[in-house]
Amino acid sequence: MKLGVLVSGRGSNLQALIDGIESGKLPCSIDIVISDREKAYALERCKRHKIPYLVIKRKDFSTQEAFEEEIIKALSGVDLVVLAGFMRILSEHFIKAFPMKIINIHPSLTPAFLGKSAQRQALEYGSRITGCTVHFVTEELDSGPVIVQACVPVLPDDTEETLSERILSYEHRLLPQAVRWISEGRVKVMGRKVVVHGANYGTLPANPQLEVF
Ligand SMILES: Nc1nc2c(c(=O)[nH]1)N[C@@H](CN(C=O)c1ccc(C(=O)N[C@@H](CCC(=O)O)C(=O)O)cc1)CN2
Ligand SMILES: NCC(=O)N[C@@H]1O[C@H](COP(=O)([O-])[O-])[C@@H](O)[C@H]1O
């Protein structure tokens, strides 16, 4: 399966996809990486792993539509578009160009804490459990059908940085797993519901705060 990956920053989720492909665990190729930021460290990862990349900056275009058209053109031929820390809100026009072919990794258990700084939102809310979500991208921000989620504990002395790093360690497993499921044709979308054939839905992680009562 041919991937097009959109990034804006460090690219650790991109690296997780690269590692999965290079280890043989992920039967895909990354045909193009597109960054909206010239200095994104994700591009250093592309250079290191000889992955084609483009920088397409919003400020170089007079309209959002022209910006997105350039990205759509660059993504021609891919089977799946992966938003891996891509920090731009995409229009309905873009999404319609790739119907149910765009996925995103978000650092919360949607529908909680949508948008930017989801980790900080969870901390400020006082949540004891947060997590990460891989979902299909729809026009409504971070609200598309959920493919898979992972729970992550929030510790009393957490900062935004410590919590973000902990969530990232789960993201790096969740995103490649979701991409592999899609490449295997196991993901079926039925309205808001997504069913993954053969996935384990029965067991939940232990609830650490739950005491014997
Ligand atoms: N139409 C959609 N676009 C995007 C989605 C989506 O689900 N639907 N997911 C996001 C990823 N994302 C969180 O996971 C996210 C990215 C960016 C923002 C945001 O508020 N961006 C601002 C500022 C942009 C910047 O500073 O460069 C903005 O674009 O106005 C919120 C959530 C990707 N796109
Ligand atoms: N709302 C979008 C959002 O917050 N995405 C988050 O940005 C980080 C990118 O890290 P990376 O560049 O190292 O993959 C990840 O934590 C991802 O969940």
Side-chain angles (χ1 to χ4, degrees):
M1 183 170 69
K2 295 179 179 178
L3 306 180
V5 184
L6 274 55
V7 298
S8 295
R10 198 168 61 165
S12 68
N13 276 291
L14 168 66
Q15 189 65 55
L17 294 173
I18 293 169
D19 294 347
I21 291 168
E22 293 185 350
S23 67
K25 290 179 189 161
L26 192 51
C28 299
S29 60
I30 298 174
D31 288 37
I32 187 73
V33 172
I34 296 167
S35 174
D36 65 325
R37 296 179 189 173
E38 205 155 26
K39 295 188 168 29
Y41 187 72
L43 301 180
E44 296 308 312
R45 300 177 195 271
C46 295
K47 294 170 191 170
R48 204 177 307 139
H49 294 272
K50 299 180 175 37
I51 294 169
Y53 67 88
L54 285 172
V55 177
I56 301 178
K57 291 184 283 188
R58 172 66 183 84
K59 71 176 178 58
D60 291 345
F61 298 85
S62 55
T63 65
Q64 174 77 7
E65 187 166 3
F67 166 64
E68 291 187 355
E69 274 306 318
E70 194 71 11
I71 298 175
I72 291 169
K73 204 164 50 175
L75 289 171
S76 67
V78 306
D79 301 305
L80 183 69
V81 180
V82 182
L83 309 186
F86 184 68
M87 298 307 284
R88 288 275 165 197
I89 297 176
L90 296 166
S91 72
E92 185 182 13
H93 169 70
F94 187 102
I95 288 158
K96 283 186 171 169
F98 303 94
M100 278 305 159
K101 294 278 183 198
I102 312 173
I103 65 172
N104 178 53
I105 178 86
H106 183 72
S108 78
L109 294 175
T110 59
F113 312 132
L114 306 180
K116 292 197 296 185
S117 309
Q119 306 91 335
R120 185 189 314 153
Q121 292 181 58
L123 267 181
E124 289 172 353
Y125 189 85
S127 294
R128 294 267 62 91
I129 294 174
T130 185
C132 46
T133 302
V134 181
H135 64 89
F136 284 105
V137 170
T138 57
E139 194 186 356
E140 194 181 350
L141 190 59
D142 301 333
S143 303
V146 171
I147 302 168
V148 64
Q149 294 182 300
C151 301
V152 179
V154 182
L155 304 182
D157 56 351
D158 262 332
T159 64
E160 187 176 351
E161 290 68 34
T162 58
L163 180 56
S164 297
E165 285 306 307
R166 188 175 311 114
I167 296 172
L168 269 174
S169 68
Y170 287 83
E171 292 180 41
H172 297 158
R173 295 165 55 187
L174 212 62
L175 183 59
Q177 177 178 309
V179 172
R180 190 175 64 203
W181 281 348
I182 293 169
S183 74
E184 293 168 343
R186 294 167 56 187
V187 177
K188 297 290 174 252
V189 185
M190 292 168 277
R192 275 239 36 112
K193 292 263 175 42
V194 175
V195 176
V196 181
H197 295 283
N200 175 4
Y201 284 102
T203 53
L204 267 177
N207 282 292
Q209 291 143 40
L210 204 55
E211 297 172 355
V212 176
F213 183 77

